[in-house]
Amino acid sequence: MEHLLHYVWKHKLFPLKVLQTTEGLPVEVIDSGLQNPNAGPDFFNAKLKIDGTLWVGNIEIHTHSSDWLRHGHDKDKAYDSVILHVVGEADMEVTHTDGGQIPQLILTCPENVQSHYHELCVADQYPACYPILASLPKLTVHSWLTALQTERLEEKARLITERLKHCNHNWEDAFFVTLARNFGFGLNGDAFETWAGMLPFRAIDKHRNDLFQIEAFFYGLAGLLEDSFLKKGQEDEYSLRLIKEFRYLQRKFEFTQVMNATLWRFLRLRPENFPTVRLAQLAYLYQRGDKLFSRLLEAGTLTEVRTLLEVGTSSYWESHFLFGRTSSQKKKTMGERSKDLIIINTVVPFLYTYGLHKADEGMCERAGRFLEELKAEDNHIIRSWSAAGLPMVSAADSQALIQLQKEYCDRRKCLYCRFGYEYLRHK
């Protein structure tokens, strides 16, 4: 109930009669204030007239007046700035820390808003607001998707900033860790990030001109050269050479910890998506991609970005998907759709984050332009929104709708969504 009262107050969905305090004083709401998502009063800097006197301050909203005491606001000076206590039911008087009484207003939620909100909550079809989507004005859809796109980029920027801290603020290392995570394409994303977080980059850099030694680092630290993964029947000349080289590198650089190989998932994957193949591609990219992030920063077009992300493998992996098991000869490149996903989830967020870091609006705009130029992603989330009447053209659209689904629909935060707002008001 309380979140509905927040919604009614924010959008001024008041009954068509004079608002009054519980003591009968008239209330005129000039500005309902700015909603506060953090600790403290629910709305900041509201402007009201109570019995003709102008008040500027904060608003607190509860289902019952007694929630004021239950939450300890009567002893919290942060709530001394509250000028009006908005409640669904007034079951007691409330005071500031100095004992001064706070005016209270009983607010009711319109019946149509309640019933429409209930429909959204119990809907078993996604998206729950599908009946109105096709009729929404284009400007409403565009403005909300634009806001969601920015919200998603900001969220990814926060994750990258956290990753930077773990990488001692080295942008190249943080970029490779993020790139590795996205080489897992969802199923192995966590495993790839765990693995990349263990890489001794400065040690590997000393052997950057030797693809075989990079593979020894990569497969060894991934735990894929250990007896627990590489059984006797799978050993061949190449894997034995890798094991020997990795043991030498361990002694040289004095590291012993390797990843638990059981974290890697192979089941229900196409062979070209096996972690063994993706690691080979990452090794190839690492060997030829010195200062890869710096070079991507200079890429002005998607064609240049795609060229920098061209992958291959060593000759061994052209005839193998797993150690010791030969397959037909085939170059292990990456498809255009997979490459575009890497651009969407790695290159674009890093351009945006680095642009924020450098206060470079042009770089942030380039990140947005790349999203606009890329085709919309194709997954179950995007298909469900398309079926509901919301057409998508670019990756900017699909990224916005992924944000909408994960942060609003899945969490039933319809009251904070512009589509939900339209549903409650105009269905």
Side-chain angles (χ1 to χ4, degrees), residues 264-403:
W264 298 107
R265 298 178 66 177
F266 288 81
L267 291 177
R268 291 187 292 277
L269 281 179
R270 294 179 179 178
E272 56 266 27
N273 290 328
F274 281 177
T276 43
V277 175
R278 294 302 186 197
L279 285 168
Q281 292 172 336
L282 281 168
Y284 178 90
L285 199 57
Y286 196 90
Q287 194 257 341
R288 65 182 283 270
D290 186 28
K291 304 295 183 186
L292 178 60
F293 175 60
S294 298
R295 288 191 284 156
L296 283 166
L297 287 177
E298 298 171 1
T301 67
L302 282 175
T303 300
E304 293 175 84
V305 172
R306 289 190 178 104
T307 299
L308 289 169
L309 293 175
E310 287 289 346
V311 298
T313 65
S314 61
S315 58
Y316 176 84
W317 292 105
E318 291 179 0
S319 59
H320 292 79
F321 290 106
L322 294 166
F323 287 114
R325 298 181 186 177
T326 57
S327 62
S328 57
Q329 190 81 14
K330 181 183 178 182
K331 290 187 178 297
K332 305 295 194 300
T333 57
M334 185 178 287
E336 290 302 309
R337 294 297 289 172
S338 295
K339 199 180 296 181
D340 285 352
L341 286 174
I342 293 295
I343 296 172
I344 291 168
N345 294 308
T346 308
V347 177
V348 166
F350 258 85
L351 278 176
Y352 184 81
T353 307
Y354 197 72
L356 293 178
H357 175 70
K358 292 291 187 180
D360 186 335
E361 289 186 14
M363 198 170 292
C364 293
E365 289 174 0
R366 195 191 327 163
R369 175 166 57 82
F370 283 169
L371 283 180
E372 293 286 352
E373 292 175 4
L374 289 164
K375 290 182 180 179
E377 296 146 275
D378 181 19
N379 54 47
H380 72 282
I381 292 176
I382 306 308
R383 288 191 292 272
S384 68
W385 284 97
S386 292
L390 210 62
M392 274 143 286
V393 177
S394 70
D397 298 330
S398 57
Q399 281 289 289
L401 289 173
I402 289 172
Q403 181 73 7

Side-chain angles (χ1 to χ4, degrees), residues 1-15 32 35 42-43 59-65 67 85-90 105-110 113-114 117 415-416 424:
M1 178 61 179
E2 187 173 306
H3 49 281
L4 274 176
L5 292 178
H6 280 245
Y7 176 86
V8 171
W9 177 262
K10 177 180 179 180
H11 297 289
K12 294 186 178 181
L13 304 181
F14 305 138
S32 58
Q35 192 163 16
D42 295 320
F43 288 83
I59 306 296
E60 181 67 8
I61 299 177
H62 286 125
T63 305
H64 301 92
S65 301
D67 293 335
H85 190 210
V86 178
V87 297
E89 181 181 334
L105 169 72
I106 297 175
L107 186 63
T108 57
C109 181
V113 172
Q114 289 192 54
Y117 180 65
L415 298 178
Y416 303 92
L424 294 178

Side-chain angles (χ1 to χ4, degrees), residues 227-237 239 316 322-325:
D227 294 340
S228 59
F229 177 82
L230 190 60
K231 308 301 181 185
K232 289 293 183 182
Q234 293 176 279
E235 291 179 346
D236 58 10
E237 180 186 352
S239 61
Y316 176 84
L322 294 166
F323 287 114
R325 298 181 186 177

